Amino acid sequence: METQPGVVIEFWWSVALATLGVVVPGIAALYEFVVKGRKRIGYRVQMDTTATDVAETAEPGALAELRRDGVKLTDPTLVLLRIENNGATHIDTQDYAVPDNDPVGIRVRFPGRRVVGMVVTELSQDYLRPSFSPGNGLAGRDDVIELPRVPLNRGSHYKVLAALDQAAGFTHKNGEEYPEPVVSGGIKGGVGGGGIQRTRNRIGTPKRVIALIVFLVVLVVAQLGVFLRSSGAGLIDCAAGRLNVVGSTAFEPIVREAAKSYQRQCPDASISFDMRGSGEGLQSLDVSRDAGTLAFSDGEKPDGLPSLLPRPLAFFLFTLIINDDAGVQDLTLDQIHRIYQGQVTNWSDLGGNDQPVRLISRNPGSGTRAAFQRRVLGGVREPGSNSDDCRNRDPGSPLGVVRCARDSTDDVLRAVAATPGAIGYSELGAAAGQKGVVPVRIGGHPATVADADHGTYPFWETEYGYTYGEPDASSLAASFLRYLTNQVGADIIRSHGDRPCGDLANPQLCHPS
Protein backbone atom coordinates (compact mmCIF):
# COMPACT_ATOMS: atom_id res chain seq x y z
CA MET A 1 0.00 0.00 0.00
CA GLU A 2 1.33 3.41 -1.01
CA THR A 3 1.67 5.91 1.78
CA GLN A 4 0.06 9.31 1.09
CA PRO A 5 2.49 12.28 1.33
CA GLY A 6 0.00 14.23 3.49
CA VAL A 7 -0.15 11.41 6.04
CA VAL A 8 3.66 11.28 6.25
CA ILE A 9 3.87 15.05 6.72
CA GLU A 10 1.20 15.05 9.45
CA PHE A 11 2.94 12.13 11.17
CA TRP A 12 6.31 13.86 11.33
CA TRP A 13 4.66 17.18 12.28
CA SER A 14 3.01 15.43 15.20
CA VAL A 15 6.30 13.82 16.18
CA ALA A 16 8.07 17.19 16.05
CA LEU A 17 5.39 18.89 18.13
CA ALA A 18 5.39 16.09 20.67
CA THR A 19 9.18 16.23 20.94
CA LEU A 20 9.20 20.01 21.40
CA GLY A 21 6.35 19.68 23.86
CA VAL A 22 8.55 17.46 26.02
CA VAL A 23 11.91 19.17 25.51
CA VAL A 24 10.82 22.80 26.06
CA PRO A 25 8.89 22.19 29.30
CA GLY A 26 11.72 19.93 30.43
CA ILE A 27 14.29 22.69 29.98
CA ALA A 28 11.94 25.16 31.70
CA ALA A 29 11.47 22.76 34.58
CA LEU A 30 15.21 22.25 34.98
CA TYR A 31 15.72 26.01 34.98
CA GLU A 32 12.93 26.52 37.51
CA PHE A 33 13.86 23.78 39.95
CA VAL A 34 17.64 23.47 39.54
CA VAL A 35 18.85 26.94 38.53
CA LYS A 36 16.28 29.14 40.27
CA GLY A 37 14.96 26.84 43.00
CA ARG A 38 11.33 26.25 43.95
CA LYS A 39 11.30 28.39 47.08
CA ARG A 40 12.04 32.08 46.61
CA ILE A 41 11.40 35.11 48.75
CA GLY A 42 11.95 38.64 47.51
CA TYR A 43 11.68 42.22 48.69
CA ARG A 44 11.04 45.57 47.06
CA VAL A 45 11.74 49.04 48.39
CA GLN A 46 8.66 50.62 46.86
CA MET A 47 9.26 54.00 48.47
CA ASP A 48 12.21 55.65 50.22
CA THR A 49 11.61 59.39 50.40
CA THR A 50 12.24 62.34 52.63
CA ALA A 51 9.35 63.74 54.65
CA THR A 52 11.04 67.17 54.81
CA ASP A 53 9.38 70.09 53.01
CA VAL A 54 12.33 71.01 50.76
CA ALA A 55 10.21 73.54 48.81
CA GLU A 56 8.97 75.23 52.03
CA THR A 57 5.31 75.03 50.98
CA ALA A 58 2.46 76.46 53.01
CA GLU A 59 0.68 73.12 53.50
CA PRO A 60 2.99 70.67 55.33
CA GLY A 61 0.33 69.99 57.98
CA ALA A 62 1.13 67.05 60.24
CA LEU A 63 4.26 66.25 58.22
CA ALA A 64 5.92 69.31 59.73
CA GLU A 65 5.38 67.99 63.25
CA LEU A 66 6.68 64.42 63.04
CA ARG A 67 7.93 63.56 66.52
CA ARG A 68 9.03 60.66 68.70
CA ASP A 69 8.69 60.84 72.48
CA GLY A 70 7.84 64.53 72.10
CA VAL A 71 11.05 65.35 70.22
CA LYS A 72 10.77 66.62 66.64
CA LEU A 73 12.49 64.42 64.05
CA THR A 74 15.69 65.83 62.53
CA ASP A 75 15.52 64.46 58.99
CA PRO A 76 12.47 62.17 58.70
CA THR A 77 12.12 59.68 55.85
CA LEU A 78 9.36 57.22 54.93
CA VAL A 79 10.12 53.75 53.56
CA LEU A 80 7.62 51.24 52.13
CA LEU A 81 8.85 47.62 52.02
CA ARG A 82 7.12 44.78 50.19
CA ILE A 83 8.01 41.18 51.10
CA GLU A 84 6.74 38.56 48.67
CA ASN A 85 6.83 34.87 47.82
CA ASN A 86 7.84 34.96 44.17
CA GLY A 87 8.74 31.29 43.98
CA ALA A 88 6.95 28.19 42.72
CA THR A 89 5.73 26.82 46.06
CA HIS A 90 4.76 27.93 49.55
CA ILE A 91 7.15 29.01 52.32
CA ASP A 92 6.71 27.79 55.90
CA THR A 93 8.16 29.28 59.08
CA GLN A 94 10.78 26.52 59.28
CA ASP A 95 12.09 27.47 55.82
CA TYR A 96 13.71 30.66 57.14
CA ALA A 97 17.51 30.59 57.44
CA VAL A 98 17.60 31.45 61.13
CA PRO A 99 17.98 29.39 64.33
CA ASP A 100 14.80 27.63 65.53
CA ASN A 101 14.59 29.86 68.62
CA ASP A 102 14.81 33.09 66.61
CA PRO A 103 11.34 34.49 65.76
CA VAL A 104 12.85 36.97 63.28
CA GLY A 105 13.04 35.78 59.66
CA ILE A 106 14.25 38.95 57.91
CA ARG A 107 16.28 41.95 59.10
CA VAL A 108 16.48 45.24 57.18
CA ARG A 109 19.23 47.64 58.29
CA PHE A 110 19.21 51.32 57.32
CA PRO A 111 22.77 52.74 57.61
CA GLY A 112 22.78 56.31 58.90
CA ARG A 113 19.18 56.16 60.09
CA ARG A 114 17.17 54.91 63.06
CA VAL A 115 13.69 53.38 63.11
CA VAL A 116 11.14 55.57 64.91
CA GLY A 117 7.91 53.75 63.98
CA MET A 118 6.34 51.28 61.59
CA VAL A 119 3.01 49.70 60.64
CA VAL A 120 1.94 46.75 58.49
CA THR A 121 -0.12 48.43 55.77
CA GLU A 122 -1.13 45.54 53.53
CA LEU A 123 -1.71 41.76 53.79
CA SER A 124 -2.48 39.91 50.58
CA GLN A 125 -4.57 37.37 52.55
CA ASP A 126 -6.13 37.30 56.03
CA TYR A 127 -4.25 34.15 57.11
CA LEU A 128 -1.10 36.34 57.41
CA ARG A 129 -2.60 38.46 60.22
CA PRO A 130 -1.65 36.20 63.21
CA SER A 131 2.01 36.34 62.16
CA PHE A 132 2.11 39.99 63.21
CA SER A 133 0.46 39.64 66.63
CA PRO A 134 2.49 40.96 69.59
CA GLY A 135 5.59 38.92 70.40
CA ASN A 136 5.86 37.24 66.99
CA GLY A 137 9.07 39.04 66.01
CA LEU A 138 7.97 42.36 64.46
CA ALA A 139 10.13 45.13 65.95
CA GLY A 140 12.22 48.21 65.20
CA ARG A 141 15.59 48.32 66.98
CA ASP A 142 17.99 51.22 66.38
CA ASP A 143 18.69 51.10 62.62
CA VAL A 144 17.08 47.68 62.01
CA ILE A 145 13.55 46.56 61.16
CA GLU A 146 12.93 42.97 62.28
CA LEU A 147 10.27 41.00 60.39
CA PRO A 148 8.80 37.73 61.71
CA ARG A 149 9.01 34.31 60.08
CA VAL A 150 5.82 34.70 58.08
CA PRO A 151 4.42 31.66 56.21
CA LEU A 152 3.75 32.77 52.64
CA ASN A 153 1.68 30.92 50.09
CA ARG A 154 2.79 31.17 46.47
CA GLY A 155 2.21 34.76 45.30
CA SER A 156 1.41 36.11 48.79
CA HIS A 157 2.93 39.34 50.10
CA TYR A 158 2.78 41.93 52.84
CA LYS A 159 3.91 45.55 53.14
CA VAL A 160 5.51 47.49 55.98
CA LEU A 161 5.60 51.30 56.15
CA ALA A 162 8.41 52.65 58.36
CA ALA A 163 9.26 56.13 59.60
CA LEU A 164 12.98 56.76 60.08
CA ASP A 165 15.15 59.62 61.24
CA GLN A 166 18.79 60.55 60.91
CA ALA A 167 20.94 58.54 63.31
CA ALA A 168 22.91 60.33 66.01
CA GLY A 169 26.45 61.11 64.84
CA PHE A 170 25.62 60.63 61.15
CA THR A 171 25.99 63.61 58.82
CA HIS A 172 23.47 63.78 55.99
CA LYS A 173 23.50 66.63 53.48
CA ASN A 174 20.27 67.89 51.97
CA GLY A 175 19.64 66.40 48.54
CA GLU A 176 21.89 63.39 49.12
CA GLU A 177 20.42 59.92 49.36
CA TYR A 178 20.99 57.72 52.36
CA PRO A 179 22.93 54.48 51.81
CA GLU A 180 20.91 51.56 50.43
CA PRO A 181 19.22 49.35 53.06
CA VAL A 182 20.96 46.05 53.84
CA VAL A 183 18.64 43.03 53.96
CA SER A 184 19.62 39.76 55.64
CA GLY A 185 17.89 36.52 56.60
CA GLY A 186 15.41 35.01 54.18
CA ILE A 187 15.06 31.32 53.47
CA LYS A 188 17.23 28.23 53.19
CA GLY A 189 18.04 26.62 49.86
CA GLY A 190 16.34 29.17 47.59
CA VAL A 191 17.81 31.29 44.80
CA GLY A 192 21.61 31.32 44.88
CA GLY A 193 21.64 28.95 47.84
CA GLY A 194 19.10 30.85 49.96
CA GLY A 195 18.53 34.26 51.49
CA ILE A 196 16.30 36.97 50.10
CA GLN A 197 16.53 38.60 46.69
CA ARG A 198 15.65 42.13 45.69
CA THR A 199 12.97 42.26 43.01
CA ARG A 200 12.16 45.31 40.95
CA ASN A 201 9.03 46.57 39.26
CA ARG A 202 9.36 46.05 35.53
CA ILE A 203 7.92 48.34 32.88
CA GLY A 204 7.45 46.52 29.62
CA THR A 205 8.45 42.99 28.68
CA PRO A 206 11.71 42.10 26.88
CA LYS A 207 11.23 41.12 23.24
CA ARG A 208 12.87 37.73 23.76
CA VAL A 209 10.35 36.94 26.51
CA ILE A 210 7.45 37.94 24.25
CA ALA A 211 8.85 35.78 21.45
CA LEU A 212 9.22 32.79 23.76
CA ILE A 213 5.67 33.23 25.07
CA VAL A 214 4.23 33.43 21.55
CA PHE A 215 6.21 30.35 20.50
CA LEU A 216 5.01 28.33 23.49
CA VAL A 217 1.38 29.40 23.02
CA VAL A 218 1.45 28.38 19.33
CA LEU A 219 3.15 25.11 20.25
CA VAL A 220 0.66 24.23 22.96
CA VAL A 221 -2.37 25.10 20.83
CA ALA A 222 -1.06 23.06 17.89
CA GLN A 223 -0.15 20.11 20.07
CA LEU A 224 -3.52 20.24 21.81
CA GLY A 225 -5.27 20.17 18.46
CA VAL A 226 -3.30 17.10 17.36
CA PHE A 227 -3.99 15.40 20.68
CA LEU A 228 -7.72 16.08 20.60
CA ARG A 229 -8.03 14.99 16.96
CA SER A 230 -6.22 11.75 17.68
CA SER A 231 -7.88 10.80 20.95
CA GLY A 232 -10.93 12.98 21.49
CA ALA A 233 -10.04 12.93 25.19
CA GLY A 234 -10.70 15.73 27.70
CA LEU A 235 -7.97 17.24 29.88
CA ILE A 236 -9.83 17.64 33.21
CA ASP A 237 -10.79 14.87 35.63
CA CYS A 238 -14.45 15.88 35.63
CA ALA A 239 -17.39 13.80 36.73
CA ALA A 240 -21.10 14.46 36.27
CA GLY A 241 -23.93 13.96 38.73
CA ARG A 242 -24.93 15.10 42.21
CA LEU A 243 -22.88 15.12 45.40
CA ASN A 244 -24.09 15.89 48.92
CA VAL A 245 -21.48 17.19 51.38
CA VAL A 246 -22.01 16.86 55.15
CA GLY A 247 -19.89 17.09 58.29
CA SER A 248 -17.40 19.58 59.73
CA THR A 249 -18.45 23.24 59.89
CA ALA A 250 -14.78 24.13 60.53
CA PHE A 251 -13.79 22.63 57.16
CA GLU A 252 -16.88 24.04 55.40
CA PRO A 253 -15.28 27.27 54.04
CA ILE A 254 -12.52 25.25 52.35
CA VAL A 255 -14.95 22.70 50.87
CA ARG A 256 -17.29 25.38 49.57
CA GLU A 257 -14.45 27.26 47.87
CA ALA A 258 -13.11 24.03 46.35
CA ALA A 259 -16.61 22.99 45.18
CA LYS A 260 -17.16 26.36 43.52
CA SER A 261 -13.84 26.04 41.68
CA TYR A 262 -14.60 22.42 40.67
CA GLN A 263 -18.04 23.28 39.30
CA ARG A 264 -16.59 26.13 37.20
CA GLN A 265 -14.41 23.55 35.44
CA CYS A 266 -17.00 20.76 35.52
CA PRO A 267 -20.43 22.30 34.80
CA ASP A 268 -22.21 18.92 34.78
CA ALA A 269 -21.45 18.46 38.49
CA SER A 270 -23.89 19.63 41.18
CA ILE A 271 -22.62 19.86 44.79
CA SER A 272 -24.94 20.64 47.71
CA PHE A 273 -24.14 21.22 51.41
CA ASP A 274 -25.71 20.25 54.72
CA MET A 275 -22.81 20.65 57.16
CA ARG A 276 -23.85 20.51 60.83
CA GLY A 277 -20.75 19.10 62.49
CA SER A 278 -18.43 16.12 62.14
CA GLY A 279 -20.36 13.70 64.35
CA GLU A 280 -23.75 14.39 62.80
CA GLY A 281 -22.27 14.15 59.30
CA LEU A 282 -20.69 10.75 59.95
CA GLN A 283 -23.91 9.37 61.46
CA SER A 284 -25.92 10.72 58.52
CA LEU A 285 -23.61 8.99 56.01
CA ASP A 286 -23.72 5.73 57.95
CA VAL A 287 -27.53 5.73 58.03
CA SER A 288 -28.05 6.79 54.41
CA ARG A 289 -25.36 4.50 52.95
CA ASP A 290 -25.33 6.96 50.07
CA ALA A 291 -22.49 6.62 47.55
CA GLY A 292 -23.23 10.21 46.51
CA THR A 293 -22.43 11.69 49.93
CA LEU A 294 -19.10 12.79 51.39
CA ALA A 295 -18.69 13.39 55.13
CA PHE A 296 -15.79 15.54 56.38
CA SER A 297 -14.58 15.07 59.93
CA ASP A 298 -12.10 16.86 62.21
CA GLY A 299 -10.28 13.72 63.31
CA GLU A 300 -11.01 10.03 63.06
CA LYS A 301 -14.50 8.54 63.12
CA PRO A 302 -15.75 7.04 66.42
CA ASP A 303 -16.02 3.29 66.92
CA GLY A 304 -19.00 1.47 65.46
CA LEU A 305 -18.88 2.84 61.91
CA PRO A 306 -16.95 0.09 60.07
CA SER A 307 -18.39 0.83 56.61
CA LEU A 308 -17.11 4.43 56.52
CA LEU A 309 -13.74 4.61 54.78
CA PRO A 310 -11.36 7.53 55.50
CA ARG A 311 -9.07 9.57 53.29
CA PRO A 312 -6.63 11.95 55.08
CA LEU A 313 -6.80 15.35 53.41
CA ALA A 314 -5.23 18.07 55.50
CA PHE A 315 -3.32 18.99 58.63
CA PHE A 316 -5.88 21.23 60.29
CA LEU A 317 -4.95 23.92 62.82
CA PHE A 318 -7.24 25.19 65.56
CA THR A 319 -6.81 28.00 68.05
CA LEU A 320 -8.31 29.14 71.32
CA ILE A 321 -9.89 32.57 70.98
CA ILE A 322 -10.66 35.13 73.71
CA ASN A 323 -12.76 38.27 73.69
CA ASP A 324 -10.29 41.11 73.31
CA ASP A 325 -11.53 42.78 76.51
CA ALA A 326 -10.09 39.92 78.62
CA GLY A 327 -6.49 41.13 78.26
CA VAL A 328 -5.04 37.62 77.85
CA GLN A 329 -3.17 36.29 74.79
CA ASP A 330 -1.06 33.39 76.13
CA LEU A 331 -2.04 30.46 78.36
CA THR A 332 -0.19 27.37 79.55
CA LEU A 333 -1.80 23.95 79.23
CA ASP A 334 -2.17 23.84 83.01
CA GLN A 335 -4.02 27.18 83.01
CA ILE A 336 -6.33 25.96 80.24
CA HIS A 337 -7.12 22.81 82.23
CA ARG A 338 -7.92 24.89 85.32
CA ILE A 339 -10.13 27.25 83.30
CA TYR A 340 -12.21 24.42 81.85
CA GLN A 341 -12.41 22.69 85.24
CA GLY A 342 -14.02 25.87 86.57
CA GLN A 343 -11.14 26.72 88.92
CA VAL A 344 -10.48 30.13 87.29
CA THR A 345 -13.51 32.43 87.40
CA ASN A 346 -12.00 35.83 86.52
CA TRP A 347 -9.28 36.75 84.04
CA SER A 348 -7.61 38.93 86.66
CA ASP A 349 -6.62 35.66 88.41
CA LEU A 350 -4.25 35.08 85.45
CA GLY A 351 -3.01 38.65 85.13
CA GLY A 352 -5.72 39.79 82.71
CA ASN A 353 -8.50 42.34 83.08
CA ASP A 354 -11.29 42.21 85.66
CA GLN A 355 -13.71 40.19 83.52
CA PRO A 356 -15.61 37.01 84.46
CA VAL A 357 -14.57 33.86 82.58
CA ARG A 358 -17.31 32.59 80.24
CA LEU A 359 -16.78 29.34 78.30
CA ILE A 360 -18.32 29.05 74.83
CA SER A 361 -17.90 25.59 73.32
CA ARG A 362 -19.20 23.54 70.41
CA ASN A 363 -22.09 21.17 70.94
CA PRO A 364 -21.34 17.48 71.63
CA GLY A 365 -20.69 15.63 68.36
CA SER A 366 -18.54 18.44 66.99
CA GLY A 367 -15.19 17.35 65.59
CA THR A 368 -13.62 20.59 66.78
CA ARG A 369 -14.84 19.89 70.34
CA ALA A 370 -13.49 16.33 70.13
CA ALA A 371 -10.10 17.65 68.91
CA PHE A 372 -9.99 20.17 71.79
CA GLN A 373 -10.79 17.50 74.38
CA ARG A 374 -8.27 15.07 72.91
CA ARG A 375 -5.36 17.39 72.07
CA VAL A 376 -5.64 20.12 74.72
CA LEU A 377 -7.61 18.73 77.67
CA GLY A 378 -5.80 15.39 77.53
CA GLY A 379 -8.95 13.34 76.89
CA VAL A 380 -11.04 14.99 79.61
CA ARG A 381 -14.60 15.78 78.52
CA GLU A 382 -15.97 19.29 78.86
CA PRO A 383 -18.81 19.63 81.40
CA GLY A 384 -22.31 20.33 80.10
CA SER A 385 -23.79 23.75 79.47
CA ASN A 386 -25.51 25.85 82.14
CA SER A 387 -26.46 28.88 80.04
CA ASP A 388 -28.43 29.69 76.91
CA ASP A 389 -27.27 33.29 76.42
CA CYS A 390 -23.58 32.68 77.34
CA ARG A 391 -23.73 35.56 79.83
CA ASN A 392 -25.81 34.30 82.77
CA ARG A 393 -26.34 30.89 84.34
CA ASP A 394 -29.78 29.37 83.74
CA PRO A 395 -32.14 29.46 86.74
CA GLY A 396 -31.52 26.54 89.07
CA SER A 397 -28.11 25.67 87.63
CA PRO A 398 -25.24 25.14 90.10
CA LEU A 399 -22.78 27.91 90.85
CA GLY A 400 -19.63 28.14 88.77
CA VAL A 401 -18.41 29.65 85.51
CA VAL A 402 -20.90 30.25 82.72
CA ARG A 403 -20.81 27.50 80.08
CA CYS A 404 -22.72 27.46 76.81
CA ALA A 405 -22.44 25.65 73.46
CA ARG A 406 -23.09 26.59 69.84
CA ASP A 407 -23.77 24.61 66.66
CA SER A 408 -21.09 25.91 64.31
CA THR A 409 -17.66 27.54 64.11
CA ASP A 410 -19.18 30.85 62.96
CA ASP A 411 -21.66 30.80 65.86
CA VAL A 412 -18.80 30.34 68.36
CA LEU A 413 -16.76 33.16 66.81
CA ARG A 414 -19.69 35.58 66.90
CA ALA A 415 -20.60 34.64 70.47
CA VAL A 416 -17.04 35.07 71.79
CA ALA A 417 -16.72 38.45 70.04
CA ALA A 418 -20.02 39.66 71.54
CA THR A 419 -19.52 38.33 75.10
CA PRO A 420 -17.15 40.07 77.55
CA GLY A 421 -14.70 37.61 79.12
CA ALA A 422 -15.63 34.80 76.73
CA ILE A 423 -13.20 32.10 75.58
CA GLY A 424 -13.83 29.52 72.87
CA TYR A 425 -12.09 27.66 70.06
CA SER A 426 -12.17 27.70 66.29
CA GLU A 427 -10.43 26.66 63.09
CA LEU A 428 -7.45 29.00 62.65
CA GLY A 429 -8.36 30.42 59.24
CA ALA A 430 -11.91 31.31 60.33
CA ALA A 431 -10.67 33.02 63.49
CA ALA A 432 -8.25 35.25 61.56
CA GLY A 433 -11.10 37.22 60.00
CA GLN A 434 -13.20 37.72 63.15
CA LYS A 435 -13.12 41.15 64.80
CA GLY A 436 -13.36 41.38 68.58
CA VAL A 437 -11.38 38.22 69.35
CA VAL A 438 -7.67 37.47 69.74
CA PRO A 439 -5.97 34.10 69.11
CA VAL A 440 -4.34 32.52 72.16
CA ARG A 441 -0.84 31.12 72.20
CA ILE A 442 -0.42 27.87 74.11
CA GLY A 443 2.71 27.80 76.26
CA GLY A 444 4.12 30.69 74.24
CA HIS A 445 3.66 28.94 70.89
CA PRO A 446 1.36 30.34 68.16
CA ALA A 447 -0.87 28.19 65.98
CA THR A 448 1.52 27.51 63.10
CA VAL A 449 2.19 24.43 61.01
CA ALA A 450 5.85 24.51 62.04
CA ASP A 451 5.07 24.50 65.77
CA ALA A 452 2.45 21.76 65.40
CA ASP A 453 4.72 19.70 63.12
CA HIS A 454 7.53 19.96 65.69
CA GLY A 455 5.26 19.00 68.59
CA THR A 456 5.34 22.35 70.40
CA TYR A 457 1.75 23.38 69.55
CA PRO A 458 -0.90 20.78 70.50
CA PHE A 459 -4.21 21.99 69.03
CA TRP A 460 -4.46 20.41 65.59
CA GLU A 461 -6.21 17.52 63.93
CA THR A 462 -6.25 15.58 60.67
CA GLU A 463 -9.18 16.42 58.41
CA TYR A 464 -10.66 13.30 56.81
CA GLY A 465 -13.05 12.77 53.93
CA TYR A 466 -15.30 9.73 54.49
CA THR A 467 -17.25 7.67 51.96
CA TYR A 468 -19.63 4.77 52.50
CA GLY A 469 -17.51 1.94 51.12
CA GLU A 470 -15.00 2.41 48.33
CA PRO A 471 -16.36 4.91 45.77
CA ASP A 472 -16.33 4.10 42.06
CA ALA A 473 -13.22 5.70 40.51
CA SER A 474 -15.34 7.53 37.93
CA SER A 475 -17.87 8.85 40.47
CA LEU A 476 -18.25 12.51 41.42
CA ALA A 477 -17.33 11.66 45.03
CA ALA A 478 -14.00 10.11 43.99
CA SER A 479 -13.27 12.89 41.50
CA PHE A 480 -13.92 15.64 44.07
CA LEU A 481 -11.70 13.93 46.67
CA ARG A 482 -8.90 13.78 44.08
CA TYR A 483 -9.50 17.45 43.31
CA LEU A 484 -9.04 18.36 47.00
CA THR A 485 -5.62 16.72 47.03
CA ASN A 486 -4.31 17.97 43.68
CA GLN A 487 -2.57 21.32 43.17
CA VAL A 488 -5.74 23.43 42.98
CA GLY A 489 -7.35 21.92 46.08
CA ALA A 490 -4.02 21.95 47.94
CA ASP A 491 -3.62 25.66 47.21
CA ILE A 492 -7.10 26.34 48.58
CA ILE A 493 -6.24 24.45 51.77
CA ARG A 494 -3.00 26.44 52.14
CA SER A 495 -4.80 29.74 51.58
CA HIS A 496 -6.80 29.09 54.76
CA GLY A 497 -3.64 28.63 56.85
CA ASP A 498 -3.70 24.81 56.87
CA ARG A 499 -1.55 22.30 54.98
CA PRO A 500 -2.11 19.26 52.77
CA CYS A 501 -0.75 16.17 54.50
CA GLY A 502 2.03 15.80 51.91
CA ASP A 503 3.48 19.20 52.84
CA LEU A 504 4.46 18.16 56.35
CA ALA A 505 8.01 17.41 57.41
CA ASN A 506 6.45 14.38 59.14
CA PRO A 507 3.49 13.31 56.91
CA GLN A 508 2.75 10.40 59.25
CA LEU A 509 1.11 12.90 61.62
CA CYS A 510 -1.81 12.96 59.20
CA HIS A 511 -2.46 9.24 59.34
CA PRO A 512 -4.34 7.25 61.97
CA SER A 513 -2.31 6.33 65.02
Side-chain angles (χ1 to χ4, degrees), residues 226-249:
V226 172
F227 174 75
L228 291 178
R229 286 198 306 271
S230 62
S231 67
L235 298 179
I236 300 175
D237 176 24
C238 281
R242 295 182 176 273
L243 179 66
N244 184 37
V245 178
V246 299
S248 168
T249 62

Side-chain angles (χ1 to χ4, degrees), residues 40 131 391:
R40 296 196 299 276
S131 297
R391 290 173 177 261

Side-chain angles (χ1 to χ4, degrees), residues 292-499:
T293 295
L294 284 178
F296 293 95
S297 174
D298 310 333
E300 297 178 63
K301 65 182 180 181
D303 294 337
L305 303 173
S307 296
L308 303 191
L309 301 184
R311 179 165 185 168
L313 297 172
F315 189 77
F316 215 48
L317 287 172
F318 299 93
T319 181
L320 281 163
I321 49 170
I322 296 183
N323 182 281
D324 54 12
D325 289 337
V328 174
Q329 297 186 34
D330 189 7
L331 294 168
T332 66
L333 277 174
D334 179 66
Q335 289 172 332
I336 296 169
H337 293 171
R338 289 168 52 210
I339 289 168
Y340 279 84
Q341 289 167 4
Q343 297 175 10
V344 178
T345 59
N346 195 292
W347 290 114
S348 61
D349 298 338
L350 300 178
N353 297 329
D354 183 14
Q355 291 279 356
V357 173
R358 295 180 170 101
L359 307 179
I360 301 179
S361 302
R362 290 290 305 279
N363 277 317
S366 157
T368 306
R369 177 171 175 149
F372 178 67
Q373 292 174 163
R374 177 185 175 191
R375 302 286 184 181
V376 181
L377 298 185
V380 176
R381 291 180 178 272
E382 291 187 67
S385 299
N386 61 11
S387 172
D388 287 332
D389 64 7
C390 299
R391 290 173 177 261
N392 305 289
R393 289 185 297 274
D394 295 335
S397 62
L399 296 177
V401 297
V402 169
R403 302 175 186 269
C404 68
R406 292 293 181 261
D407 287 332
S408 71
T409 298
D410 286 343
D411 289 343
V412 169
L413 287 167
R414 286 192 293 266
V416 172
T419 308
I423 182 173
Y425 41 76
S426 161
E427 186 266 330
L428 177 63
Q434 178 65 54
K435 294 181 179 179
V437 304
V438 293
V440 181
R441 293 186 176 212
I442 298 180
H445 295 280
T448 66
V449 173
D451 281 278
D453 203 357
H454 295 156
T456 53
Y457 182 81
F459 198 6
W460 59 271
E461 193 54 272
T462 301
E463 190 67 29
Y464 291 93
Y466 280 91
T467 57
Y468 191 88
E470 192 67 43
D472 187 284
S474 61
S475 68
L476 180 53
S479 175
F480 187 59
L481 281 174
R482 289 192 294 270
Y483 188 78
L484 281 171
T485 54
N486 74 9
Q487 187 59 51
V488 176
D491 282 345
I492 292 172
I493 290 171
R494 293 187 193 105
S495 73
H496 286 258
D498 305 298
R499 286 292 180 267

Side-chain angles (χ1 to χ4, degrees), residues 77-98:
T77 52
L78 297 176
V79 174
L80 182 63
L81 294 172
R82 174 186 168 113
I83 308 298
E84 58 193 4
N85 180 348
N86 55 358
T89 188
H90 68 280
I91 294 170
D92 266 329
T93 53
Q94 68 265 30
D95 291 322
Y96 284 84
V98 295

Side-chain angles (χ1 to χ4, degrees), residues 81-401:
L81 294 172
R82 174 186 168 113
I83 308 298
E84 58 193 4
N85 180 348
N86 55 358
T89 188
H90 68 280
I91 294 170
D92 266 329
T93 53
Q94 68 265 30
D95 291 322
Y96 284 84
V98 295
D100 289 341
N101 60 354
D102 187 352
V104 179
I106 298 170
R107 289 177 169 85
V108 186
R109 187 171 67 85
F110 295 88
R113 290 184 275 184
R114 62 189 179 97
V115 181
V116 296
M118 61 181 173
V119 291
V120 178
T121 63
E122 184 176 314
L123 301 173
S124 61
Q125 288 147 333
D126 271 345
Y127 80 89
L128 298 171
R129 195 176 307 277
S131 297
F132 297 97
S133 57
N136 270 14
L138 179 67
R141 307 179 191 278
D142 299 326
D143 63 346
V144 175
I145 289 177
E146 296 180 345
L147 302 175
R149 298 195 292 181
V150 179
L152 291 169
N153 291 338
R154 184 178 55 186
S156 295
H157 71 269
Y158 63 90
K159 295 183 181 181
V160 176
L161 178 66
L164 301 102
D165 195 17
Q166 181 176 308
F170 183 85
T171 301
H172 177 244
K173 297 180 181 179
N174 288 336
E176 289 187 355
E177 293 185 356
Y178 281 100
E180 285 281 315
V182 179
V183 183
S184 60
I187 61 170
K188 300 173 285 190
V191 182
I196 180 169
Q197 303 296 314
R198 183 166 187 172
T199 57
R200 300 180 184 274
N201 293 323
R202 293 178 174 86
I203 300 175
T205 306
K207 292 182 178 179
R208 63 180 181 276
V209 175
I210 295 176
L212 178 60
I213 292 173
V214 171
F215 168 72
L216 290 176
V217 168
V218 171
L219 175 64
V220 169
V221 170
Q223 189 174 3
L224 180 61
V226 172
F227 174 75
L228 291 178
R229 286 198 306 271
S230 62
S231 67
L235 298 179
I236 300 175
D237 176 24
C238 281
R242 295 182 176 273
L243 179 66
N244 184 37
V245 178
V246 299
S248 168
T249 62
F251 199 59
E252 184 174 2
I254 293 175
V255 180
R256 283 187 177 274
E257 185 176 340
K260 186 176 180 180
S261 175
Y262 182 91
Q263 289 175 107
R264 278 199 301 266
Q265 300 178 63
C266 307
D268 292 331
S270 175
I271 303 176
S272 60
F273 296 86
D274 187 19
M275 306 188 82
R276 305 180 185 181
S278 300
E280 186 171 336
L282 291 171
Q283 291 294 337
S284 172
L285 176 59
D286 189 58
V287 170
S288 70
R289 303 184 178 188
D290 181 14
T293 295
L294 284 178
F296 293 95
S297 174
D298 310 333
E300 297 178 63
K301 65 182 180 181
D303 294 337
L305 303 173
S307 296
L308 303 191
L309 301 184
R311 179 165 185 168
L313 297 172
F315 189 77
F316 215 48
L317 287 172
F318 299 93
T319 181
L320 281 163
I321 49 170
I322 296 183
N323 182 281
D324 54 12
D325 289 337
V328 174
Q329 297 186 34
D330 189 7
L331 294 168
T332 66
L333 277 174
D334 179 66
Q335 289 172 332
I336 296 169
H337 293 171
R338 289 168 52 210
I339 289 168
Y340 279 84
Q341 289 167 4
Q343 297 175 10
V344 178
T345 59
N346 195 292
W347 290 114
S348 61
D349 298 338
L350 300 178
N353 297 329
D354 183 14
Q355 291 279 356
V357 173
R358 295 180 170 101
L359 307 179
I360 301 179
S361 302
R362 290 290 305 279
N363 277 317
S366 157
T368 306
R369 177 171 175 149
F372 178 67
Q373 292 174 163
R374 177 185 175 191
R375 302 286 184 181
V376 181
L377 298 185
V380 176
R381 291 180 178 272
E382 291 187 67
S385 299
N386 61 11
S387 172
D388 287 332
D389 64 7
C390 299
R391 290 173 177 261
N392 305 289
R393 289 185 297 274
D394 295 335
S397 62
L399 296 177
V401 297

